[in-house]
Amino acid sequence: KGDTINGNVYNRIIYNESKFGNGCDNYGPGTIAKPKCYPNKFEPTDWSRNLYPGDTVIFRESSAGYPSLLLKSSGKAGAPITIMPYSGEKLFIKTTHTAGIHISQASYINIEGPIEINSSIGHVGILVQGAPDYQTNPLRADNIKIHNCRIYGKGNGIWLQNVNNSEVENCIIGPMLPGADHVNGMEMNGLYNSLIKNVEAYGAFDNRGCPANSDADGFHLEGRYDGTVSHGGRNITMINCTAHNNYEDGFDMTGEVTLINSKSYNNYGAGIKVFQREQDNHTLSKINSLSYHNGYCPRDLLDGNPGVKNTRGPGLNISNSIIYGNLNEGVNIQYYYSGGSSDPIEGFSY
């Protein structure tokens, strides 16, 4: 312990790909001179069980790609567990299991790039999970940081489930090609007090196709674990995020979200859809943002696929923004009659 890299002393384990002749040694100390060999197959207990707060795991570059990584150990405040490539190199992962990087009910984890993940059919690029059912189990994954990633393939790019006080920054997600029934660039279920910054999500396509019943969004925030109330998220800030050329909506938001300097364009559905269930009470704020050339592969011309669509009456604030060149409307707002039908009643549009 105590290798010095670029002037920083790391409490770390260093891994090299498990290939004959590359100099790795699983009986060695895991240093620059004697890195450990990462297993050829998905064996999460081979390394993640031995991580402690303050540890840094450094991966040497592999042209063939590492298999999936599973993290169940937590860091702590001031001493996170960090996953990163060796200085000047890139961590390349080809998913062999649930996700390229899977953080399961762990907290204080930093994922530092550059990281490239090729996601196989039905897998996720990066999956962060708190408790499986966040309505009955309050255990969240807290203080997760994901920086500098490039994700593409045939599944969801980044999926955050029941996550709190976290951030995703400087990532490009896409294209996410057909291969699964439900594909989004970035999927969020139960996300709280978190920042998403400088993230581009594009080319999300699913097997449902267009103009049929596609559900492939650039950014999708929704609660999925309760049949009566949707708990998408609260206090989420998205800065300099871009969604384009997705099969359905650019941003599909069920939660309290502030979009700042965002762009949504060339999406086949709406540029931004703000959605709520009857029991929710949340507002989306769109500030200094662009929505243009959306809605040109609509599944329902009567419902419309405008620049901004407000469905079932959540709060919506728009300021200093430009909305133009969308299929049929700039802004479409729908609302409920109090105590009336569960079907939305169109209010007005621009």
Side-chain angles (χ1 to χ4, degrees):
K1 294 187 177 182
D3 270 332
T4 300
I5 304 174
N6 290 343
N8 297 313
V9 178
Y10 290 100
N11 178 28
R12 51 66 215 109
I13 304 171
I14 297 179
Y15 278 95
N16 206 338
E17 60 182 325
S18 183
K19 186 172 66 176
F20 179 76
N22 68 357
C24 65
D25 180 1
N26 274 336
Y27 297 99
T31 61
I32 296 173
K34 283 288 186 180
K36 290 184 178 292
C37 304
Y38 194 80
N40 283 317
K41 58 184 179 178
F42 182 75
E43 296 182 67
T45 56
D46 279 359
W47 70 281
S48 61
R49 65 183 177 186
N50 296 318
L51 297 182
Y52 299 95
D55 278 350
T56 297
V57 182
I58 300 173
F59 288 86
R60 299 304 307 262
E61 193 159 15
S62 166
S63 58
Y66 286 92
S68 297
L69 315 179
L70 174 64
L71 279 164
K72 289 188 173 182
S73 299
S74 291
K76 64 181 182 181
I81 291 173
T82 300
I83 307 297
M84 61 184 287
Y86 186 72
S87 178
E89 298 181 353
K90 173 180 66 179
L91 172 55
F92 177 42
I93 298 171
K94 286 187 175 181
T95 62
T96 54
H97 200 65
T98 305
I101 297 176
H102 184 185
I103 300 172
S104 178
Q105 299 186 43
S107 297
Y108 291 96
I109 305 291
N110 292 353
I111 306 297
E112 301 291 346
I115 294 174
E116 178 180 337
I117 300 177
N118 184 346
S119 177
S120 301
I121 293 177
H123 295 168
V124 181
I126 299 176
L127 173 62
V128 183
Q129 292 180 305
D133 185 340
Y134 61 78
Q135 297 302 309
T136 59
N137 188 337
L139 180 62
R140 298 189 178 115
D142 281 290
N143 290 277
I144 308 296
K145 295 183 179 181
I146 301 169
H147 297 154
N148 192 6
C149 64
R150 174 77 177 90
I151 301 172
Y152 53 89
K154 294 186 176 182
N156 283 313
I158 296 177
W159 197 344
L160 308 179
Q161 299 178 359
N162 198 19
V163 177
N164 186 48
N165 288 327
S166 297
E167 64 185 47
V168 178
E169 189 169 350
N170 298 327
C171 289
I172 298 175
I173 307 169
M176 309 310 294
L177 300 175
D181 185 56
H182 184 81
V183 174
N184 294 295
M186 187 166 180
E187 175 88 7
M188 298 161 279
N189 312 130
L191 180 64
Y192 302 89
N193 308 310
S194 294
L195 171 68
I196 302 168
K197 184 177 181 181
N198 300 331
V199 176
E200 176 186 2
Y202 74 95
F205 293 83
D206 58 21
N207 286 334
R208 301 179 185 185
C210 176
N213 191 31
S214 174
D215 197 20
D217 304 312
F219 297 90
H220 188 195
L221 172 68
E222 183 180 5
R224 290 184 173 275
Y225 301 111
D226 188 309
T228 57
V229 181
S230 172
H231 293 267
R234 294 289 186 270
N235 192 26
I236 301 165
T237 302
M238 304 181 70
I239 302 174
N240 297 331
C241 291
T242 300
H244 64 92
N245 296 94
N246 298 292
Y247 246 33
E248 199 190 11
D249 305 315
F251 296 82
D252 186 345
M253 303 280 102
T254 304
E256 181 187 305
V257 182
T258 300
L259 295 176
I260 302 173
N261 298 331
S262 68
K263 289 192 294 184
S264 54
Y265 62 91
N266 294 347
N267 298 290
Y268 293 176
I272 298 173
K273 180 169 73 176
V274 191
F275 187 84
Q276 78 167 15
R277 317 241 183 239
E278 298 89 324
Q279 298 87 347
D280 288 347
N281 180 19
H282 60 256
T283 297
L284 181 138
S285 297
K286 174 181 168 69
I287 304 169
N288 299 335
S289 297
L290 291 170
S291 296
Y292 61 94
H293 295 170
N294 296 291
Y296 285 91
C297 193
R299 60 184 180 187
D300 186 352
L301 282 170
L302 296 177
D303 191 30
N305 283 314
V308 178
K309 178 163 64 176
N310 183 312
T311 303
R312 299 188 178 185
L316 174 64
N317 299 321
I318 302 175
S319 61
N320 298 323
S321 296
I322 297 175
I323 303 168
Y324 72 92
N326 300 287
L327 174 65
N328 50 359
E329 298 161 331
V331 179
N332 177 289
I333 297 177
Q334 301 173 344
Y335 60 88
Y336 281 99
Y337 288 124
S338 177
S341 167
S342 61
D343 294 327
I345 308 299
E346 184 168 334
F348 53 90
S349 61
Y350 296 95

